[in-house]
Amino acid sequence: FARHGYRVGAVDVDREGLASLAEEAASLTGEVVTDVLDVTDADAWTRVLGAFCSDGRLDILVNNAGLLSSGPFEDIPAERHRALVDVNVTGVLLGCHTAFPYLRDTPGAQLVNLCSASAIYGQPELATYSATKFAVRGLTEALELEWSRHGIRVLDLWPLFVATHMIDDMDIGSRRSLGVNL
């Protein structure tokens, strides 16, 4: 988007990654605004979107934050299961909720939630991740119907495995059979 002249907001808990992005974006024609955001913090969502949308406009929100853990369900610590639900579900809910008034007031606005092919059917060794993506799928489908009266388009993307640090050292059957193509 920034390469095409758009103003882009990029938020993350990874300060180093944000600094690297800001450095890379300095040569682009569009503006890239970065800020730190823990997606599980409702007050932080309010602060960040309020600052970015100071003119009241938000053309598109991409809910892309996510965590992944793989392996036998019982081998993953309970606090890690909780973190997946907090980031992958609560973070998406808070983003949708906080962005709603800006999206509603922007003609042609869109909400894009990053789902996963894991939302199609429960996957062994990805049980909680898959469950969180089922939740994102259901929320997205419901909001697409509910928010259409406001002119907001709501959709989700369902990629297979993507070559990010999330899948480093992941050795499970579905990754071996499907590979990493994105």
Side-chain angles (χ1 to χ4, degrees):
F1 286 111
R3 282 187 184 93
H4 295 283
Y6 290 90
R7 181 171 180 260
V8 176
V11 297
D12 202 317
V13 293
D14 178 5
R15 291 178 191 274
E16 290 178 18
L18 288 170
S20 175
L21 176 64
E23 184 178 307
E24 178 184 336
S27 66
L28 302 176
T29 57
E31 178 186 9
V32 176
V33 177
T34 62
D35 204 343
V36 175
L37 173 65
D38 172 353
V39 296
T40 67
D41 181 342
D43 293 335
W45 268 109
T46 299
R47 177 188 57 78
V48 167
L49 277 180
F52 184 75
C53 304
S54 60
D55 64 354
R57 182 176 187 84
L58 182 61
D59 293 295
I60 185 168
L61 174 72
V62 178
N63 266 325
N64 188 39
L67 295 178
L68 173 68
S69 287
S70 62
F73 178 84
E74 65 277 8
D75 292 347
I76 298 170
E79 54 273 4
R80 183 63 180 179
H81 288 290
R82 178 68 166 265
L84 266 70
V85 172
D86 287 349
V87 170
N88 298 2
V89 179
T90 303
V92 171
L93 285 166
L94 292 174
C96 294
H97 192 266
T98 309
F100 173 73
Y102 301 109
L103 295 167
R104 178 198 59 214
D105 295 345
T106 305
Q110 297 184 58
L111 168 66
V112 179
N113 292 324
L114 262 290
C115 204
S116 168
S118 295
I120 298 170
Y121 55 87
Q123 291 198 347
E125 301 180 292
L126 292 173
T128 300
Y129 178 78
S130 186
T132 66
K133 295 307 181 173
F134 267 78
V136 170
R137 174 184 171 185
L139 175 68
T140 304
E141 290 174 3
L143 290 181
E144 170 63 14
L145 297 170
E146 189 172 326
W147 288 2
S148 66
R149 72 177 187 262
H150 300 289
I152 303 169
R153 183 168 182 224
V154 182
L155 57 131
D156 51 8
L157 301 176
W158 297 19
L160 293 169
F161 295 111
V162 179
T164 67
H165 290 300
M166 287 176 56
I167 64 165
D168 288 351
D169 302 320
M170 177 194 283
D171 185 28
I172 62 172
S174 58
R175 179 177 177 198
R176 286 190 301 271
S177 65
L178 297 171
V180 179
N181 299 303
L182 296 173

